[in-house]
Amino acid sequence: MTFIHAQETDMPEIMQIINDAKRRLQKSGIDQWQDGYPNEESLGQDISRGDYYLYVREEKLMAVLALVFDGDPNYKVITNGEWLTEDKPYSALHRVAVAEQELGKGVMGQVFKIAETETLKRGYASLRVDTHPDNKRMQRAIEKAGYTYCGHIYLENGDLRYAYEKVPH
C-alpha cells in the first residue's frame, strides 16, 4: 500500500470518488457535502499546499483524503467537551472518501492508520477529525479506529460537527 501526494492530474479520479461519496450521503438523507463542497477548487487548494493524498494499493486508488499539519481554525473552539491535547500540535483529517468498489473492506481503518503514522513521523501529538452529526457510518469508523469523542465544533458557516481526537502510539 502506498500513501502519495495527489497531483492536479489526479483530479478526475479524485472527483469521481468525492462525487460518489456525495451521492451516498444524499441517498442516506445526510446533508453533508450537498452544497457543492468539496469541489475541484477546494481540492485543488489542498493539492497545491501538499495536503491532499491518495491511498493506493496494487496500483488501485482506494481512498482520497486531506491530511493537514498546520492546524484547523474550526478547532480553536470546542463546546460540550474538550480536546485530549489542548495546546499540542495536531494533524487534522478532512475530505476523506473511499472508492465505491472498496466500501466495507476495511479501507477507512487503513486510512486512519496511515494518517496516524504520518502524524507521529512529523512529531505531532495527535490526530483530529470531525464529521456531520447524521453521518453514523463515519462516526462508527472513527470510533472503531480508537478515536475519542471530544465535543462539538462549528464550521465557518455555522454547521455543527462532532469532533474526535486520537493520541497515537
Side-chain angles (χ1 to χ4, degrees), residues 135-152:
N135 194 341
K136 303 299 184 202
R137 175 181 274 173
M138 185 61 165
Q139 290 169 33
R140 281 191 301 275
I142 292 168
E143 290 168 2
K144 185 177 178 182
Y147 287 71
T148 300
Y149 172 76
C150 292
H152 299 163

Side-chain angles (χ1 to χ4, degrees), residues 86-153:
E86 190 59 46
D87 294 322
K88 294 184 179 174
Y90 63 89
S91 65
L93 184 62
H94 293 301
R95 296 171 288 288
V96 60
V98 174
E100 189 88 24
Q101 67 277 10
E102 303 305 324
L103 293 172
K105 297 180 181 177
V107 172
M108 269 307 300
Q110 290 299 311
V111 166
F112 282 121
K113 285 179 186 173
I114 292 169
E116 292 160 18
T117 298
E118 290 296 314
T119 296
L120 288 174
K121 269 201 263 184
R122 295 178 188 224
Y124 286 73
S126 68
L127 181 67
R128 295 178 182 178
V129 63
D130 66 84
T131 192
H132 191 285
D134 295 335
N135 194 341
K136 303 299 184 202
R137 175 181 274 173
M138 185 61 165
Q139 290 169 33
R140 281 191 301 275
I142 292 168
E143 290 168 2
K144 185 177 178 182
Y147 287 71
T148 300
Y149 172 76
C150 292
H152 299 163
I153 59 107

Side-chain angles (χ1 to χ4, degrees), residues 67-87:
L67 187 56
V68 180
F69 291 97
D70 58 357
D72 184 323
N74 295 311
Y75 290 175
K76 286 186 179 175
V77 175
I78 187 166
T79 62
N80 293 59
E82 62 185 14
W83 295 114
L84 301 176
T85 61
E86 190 59 46
D87 294 322

Side-chain angles (χ1 to χ4, degrees), residues 4 43 52 55 60 77 106 110 141 159 163 165 169:
I4 58 174
L43 297 169
Y52 214 72
Y55 171 47
K60 197 167 157 187
V77 175
Q110 290 299 311
D159 287 351
E165 186 173 23
H169 309 295

Side-chain angles (χ1 to χ4, degrees), residues 46-59:
D46 286 339
I47 291 169
S48 68
R49 285 190 305 264
D51 292 341
Y52 214 72
Y53 295 86
L54 309 176
Y55 171 47
V56 179
R57 186 168 56 205
E58 296 172 9
E59 298 183 28

Side-chain angles (χ1 to χ4, degrees), residues 6-25:
Q7 305 298 318
E8 284 291 333
T9 54
D10 299 315
M11 192 64 78
E13 287 181 289
I14 292 168
M15 288 310 302
Q16 178 67 51
I17 291 173
I18 293 291
N19 288 331
D20 286 346
K22 288 179 179 184
R23 282 190 287 280
R24 287 192 305 273
L25 290 166

